[in-house]
Amino acid sequence: MKSQFPFPTVIRLTYYLRALEFLLTQNKSETSSDELAKLTNLSPEQVRKDLAYFGSFGKRGKGYPLPKLYEKIKELIGINKEWRLCLIGLGNLGKAIVRFKGFPERKLRFYAIFENDPKKIGGEFQGIRIFDVNKLPEVARELSLDIAVFTIPDDQVDKVYELVRKTNIRGILNFTSAPLHSEKDLFVKNVSIAQELEIITFYLSK
Amino acid sequence: MKSQFPFPTVIRLTYYLRALEFLLTQNKSETSSDELAKLTNLSPEQVRKDLAYFGSFGKRGKGYPLPKLYEKIKELIGINKEWRLCLIGLGNLGKAIVRFKGFPERKLRFYAIFENDPKKIGGEFQGIRIFDVNKLPEVARELSLDIAVFTIPDDQVDKVYELVRKTNIRGILNFTSAPLHSEKDLFVKNVSIAQELEIITFYLSK
DNA sequence: CTTTGTGAACTTCTTCACAGCT
DNA sequence: AGCTGTGAAGAAGTTCACAAAG
């Protein structure tokens, strides 16, 4: 175990997670760096190095025990416990995300939706209550929210960000095209659909 | 001009694009690596190096001419011309993406939607015709589609991928959690919402 | 005197090659 | 013998420091 891992290792851990889930459906009980490498399109050395940053999970000459490695990686990624999410901005994208099937099996659960539209506030969507976004500090404390998903118009990002900073929320998944930056005690992941397409058009233009 | 640029430079170009758009709304006519660095949270050296990979756009002692640099970066990213998109899978996420406001101003336009639900096929959504996904090869040729956006269930990815390979489509934006890999003549960008959240939970778990 | 553009130094990440267990 | 785990080598990317140009 070496323990200071490169930043890209975290992303690859999520690939291993999916590969392991696939192998589990095949009722395998063992895997190898070679097999994981093929499934993830990485090199076997890379797989071994990544896993070794967090411990010695394998047996030399044998490979990695499957369910054990799977549990370990879930634990590393932190999806062995429940996370309490909220959605901010119930537009088209917000609705799509709340309905997204992949979350419950990952123990990611929405406990609140925030809106500034008086017609929506007080109602609910998919069984989740819709609160006034200005009540965010109180509601976040009451419901012990961990992570906020931003699906709001770009021009509201700064205001909502300041509201979130008043809470114990420590993670933001930001779908606006106004990028935010992580700070101590507040980790931000930006996802910009427009940006992803620009990366495609860049490569196609050559 | 040095021209073999690092991979992360492409991502940063999209940040510069947004920073330049912001500066243009301020009616500025000049900017500097320092100003761009502040707006993008990067270092001024990084900004200069990135821009220099593609040419000498600045004047020493002066800075970069704003509208000119903006046009140049749009050209580099390839959004100076129109791109013809299609959406595959008209679920919640698909609907959100088709309705997304940011695309028209980027000359990204949807020309077709593909579905396998007979109730949807033949109709239209937001003025865009809905075709049978099995007709993809013919329709893609007819409409000269460039880029496909995958918003389908994971278990249909392989099938749809094979259909896309029979066309002139050269870019895929894949929103499923089954990652695809780029090939020669087919550039793939994967966006997995579940993965983004896993990266957040990883960092919050420590 | 300011700000760009860029080799050189440095840092981070990946691949190699093999020692170490089973 | 077979596959993991890991220092060492190599590759990729960033920061430094300064020369060049307005």
Side-chain angles (χ1 to χ4, degrees):
Chain A
M1 177 135 121
K2 213 196 152 188
S3 226
Q4 208 29 33
F5 55 89
F7 180 84
T9 293
V10 183
I11 294 160
R12 289 191 298 262
L13 283 179
T14 70
Y15 298 160
Y16 304 144
L17 184 77
R18 277 167 192 71
L20 292 170
E21 282 168 350
F22 170 75
L23 291 168
L24 283 168
T25 66
Q26 315 270 303
N27 284 318
K28 296 215 173 193
S29 66
E30 218 96 40
T31 187
S32 65
S33 57
D34 251 46
E35 188 169 47
L36 287 171
K38 286 204 179 72
L39 288 169
T40 54
N41 224 28
L42 299 165
S43 71
E45 300 87 337
Q46 183 78 84
V47 174
R48 293 203 294 278
K49 198 134 243 198
D50 282 338
L51 298 179
Y53 288 123
F54 304 102
S56 293
F57 307 130
K59 291 251 180 300
R60 296 175 190 219
K62 196 98 187 298
Y64 298 92
L66 234 180
K68 216 165 159 186
L69 182 61
Y70 178 57
E71 285 310 316
K72 188 68 201 179
I73 288 190
K74 281 209 293 188
E75 189 189 317
L76 281 173
I77 295 179
I79 52 171
N80 53 334
K81 60 154 255 177
E82 188 190 74
W83 293 92
R84 302 171 69 91
L85 312 190
C86 66
L87 183 92
I88 312 185
L90 189 62
N92 293 308
L93 182 59
K95 285 178 185 167
I97 289 171
V98 169
R99 286 191 183 124
F100 179 59
K101 296 285 190 301
F103 288 166
E105 61 190 47
R106 286 268 183 281
K107 299 194 185 172
L108 298 161
R109 194 170 147 194
F110 283 98
Y111 281 91
I113 294 168
F114 295 95
E115 253 295 336
N116 61 8
D117 178 352
K119 287 195 286 294
K120 293 180 185 166
I121 295 166
E124 48 178 61
F125 178 76
Q126 302 279 111
I128 302 152
R129 285 183 62 194
I130 304 170
F131 299 91
D132 184 337
V133 68
N134 294 302
K135 294 266 163 53
L136 203 150
E138 301 88 293
V139 177
R141 201 170 307 120
E142 218 167 289
L143 298 178
S144 308
L145 301 176
D146 299 308
I147 296 172
V149 178
F150 281 25
T151 48
I152 50 181
D154 288 5
D155 57 10
Q156 293 177 35
V157 173
D158 291 345
K159 180 201 157 180
V160 172
Y161 183 71
E162 287 310 314
L163 286 168
V164 169
R165 284 183 45 165
K166 290 180 183 149
T167 70
N168 287 323
I169 291 172
R170 288 176 304 137
I172 294 175
L173 181 56
N174 175 25
F175 280 92
T176 73
S177 39
L180 293 169
H181 306 293
S182 296
E183 307 184 26
K184 192 176 165 338
D185 293 328
L186 188 47
F187 182 86
V188 180
K189 195 80 184 51
N190 298 302
V191 181
S192 162
I193 296 172
Q195 182 192 24
E196 306 292 350
L197 274 164
E198 286 162 7
I199 292 167
I200 295 178
T201 60
F202 176 90
Y203 283 106
L204 297 193
S205 297
K206 292 187 308 174
Chain B
M1 178 136 116
K2 213 198 152 188
S3 226
Q4 208 26 34
F5 56 89
F7 179 83
T9 293
V10 182
I11 295 159
R12 290 191 297 263
L13 283 179
T14 69
Y15 298 160
Y16 304 145
L17 184 78
R18 276 168 191 70
L20 292 170
E21 282 169 349
F22 170 76
L23 290 168
L24 282 167
T25 66
Q26 315 272 302
N27 285 317
K28 296 215 175 191
S29 66
E30 218 96 40
T31 186
S32 65
S33 58
D34 249 46
E35 188 170 46
L36 287 171
K38 286 205 179 74
L39 288 168
T40 54
N41 225 28
L42 299 165
S43 71
E45 300 87 337
Q46 183 77 84
V47 174
R48 293 203 295 276
K49 199 136 242 198
D50 282 337
L51 297 179
Y53 288 124
F54 304 101
S56 292
F57 307 131
K59 292 249 180 302
R60 298 176 189 219
K62 197 98 187 296
Y64 299 91
L66 233 178
K68 215 164 159 187
L69 182 61
Y70 178 57
E71 286 309 316
K72 188 70 202 179
I73 288 190
K74 281 208 292 187
E75 188 190 318
L76 282 173
I77 293 179
I79 52 170
N80 54 332
K81 60 154 257 177
E82 188 190 75
W83 293 92
R84 301 172 70 90
L85 313 191
C86 66
L87 182 92
I88 311 185
L90 189 62
N92 293 308
L93 183 58
K95 285 177 185 168
I97 289 171
V98 170
R99 286 192 184 122
F100 180 59
K101 296 284 191 302
F103 288 165
E105 61 190 48
R106 287 267 183 281
K107 299 193 185 172
L108 298 161
R109 192 170 149 195
F110 282 98
Y111 281 90
I113 294 168
F114 295 95
E115 253 295 334
N116 61 7
D117 178 351
K119 287 196 287 295
K120 294 179 185 166
I121 295 167
E124 47 178 63
F125 178 76
Q126 301 280 112
I128 302 152
R129 285 183 62 194
I130 304 171
F131 299 92
D132 184 338
V133 69
N134 294 303
K135 294 265 163 51
L136 202 150
E138 300 90 293
V139 177
R141 201 170 308 119
E142 216 168 291
L143 298 178
S144 307
L145 300 176
D146 299 309
I147 297 172
V149 178
F150 281 25
T151 49
I152 50 181
D154 289 4
D155 57 11
Q156 293 176 36
V157 172
D158 292 345
K159 180 201 157 179
V160 171
Y161 184 71
E162 288 311 315
L163 286 168
V164 169
R165 282 185 46 167
K166 291 181 184 149
T167 71
N168 287 323
I169 290 172
R170 289 175 304 136
I172 294 175
L173 182 56
N174 175 25
F175 281 93
T176 74
S177 39
L180 293 170
H181 306 294
S182 295
E183 307 183 27
K184 192 176 166 337
D185 294 327
L186 187 48
F187 183 85
V188 180
K189 194 81 185 51
N190 297 302
V191 181
S192 162
I193 296 173
Q195 182 192 24
E196 306 292 350
L197 273 164
E198 285 161 8
I199 293 168
I200 295 178
T201 60
F202 176 91
Y203 283 106
L204 298 192
S205 297
K206 294 185 307 173

